[in-house]
Amino acid sequence: MPAIGRFTQLVFECKDPTAEALFWQKVLDLAPATGDDQWLTLDWEPVGRLSFHRVSDYEPPQWPGHRGELQVHLDLLVDDLSEACAAVEAAGGHPLTDVLDPGPKAWRIYADPAGHPFCLVTVPE
């Protein structure tokens, strides 16, 4: 059976598309976003696009989630967790956990400026 469609983009709901786009532009080393103050898009070669949609009454998911509010997150594979953590924090991300499972499979959970959780991981799993 042929695919029904092709993945085109991952969309983040947020209050401030400009802040979100700038954060992910820095973290993923992408070209500046295009669009307007309601919808901004970053081109991301391996994925397609990351877009940021303004929602005036947006509320970020809670970590840890217990009511189903966490539905998706990104894992970013990094070579050096300490270096990546420092860069994410400098870009405006904030940690949600300490470093988990220290050692060869270390990882840490962060939130972007709008509160979307994502993980920095040293081993893809």
Side-chain angles (χ1 to χ4, degrees):
M1 175 180 210
I4 293 171
R6 294 185 328 240
F7 181 82
T8 184
Q9 67 185 336
L10 177 62
V11 179
F12 287 91
E13 309 296 342
C14 57
K15 284 187 180 181
D16 185 350
T18 301
E20 279 294 286
L22 185 58
F23 173 80
W24 287 107
Q25 175 191 350
K26 289 177 183 177
V27 168
L28 298 172
D29 191 27
L30 301 174
T34 58
D36 58 37
D37 67 345
Q38 298 298 308
W39 186 283
L40 286 170
T41 297
L42 294 168
D43 289 319
W44 187 19
E45 186 64 33
V47 173
R49 298 180 301 180
L50 290 180
S51 291
F52 309 93
H53 174 227
R54 182 182 304 278
V55 175
S56 60
D57 59 350
Y58 171 79
E59 292 184 31
Q62 299 301 304
W63 184 270
H66 299 288
R67 299 182 316 246
E69 63 271 11
L70 295 179
Q71 297 179 18
V72 68
H73 71 268
L74 299 174
D75 283 355
L76 302 178
L77 182 63
V78 300
D79 292 325
D80 183 304
L81 186 62
S82 295
E83 206 173 273
C85 289
V88 162
E89 290 174 29
H94 60 274
L96 297 176
T97 67
D98 290 329
V99 174
L100 302 169
D101 196 16
K105 293 185 179 183
W107 53 290
R108 190 167 191 189
I109 304 165
Y110 276 86
D112 69 13
H116 301 111
F118 65 97
C119 297
L120 299 179
V121 301
T122 59
V123 176
E125 290 188 346

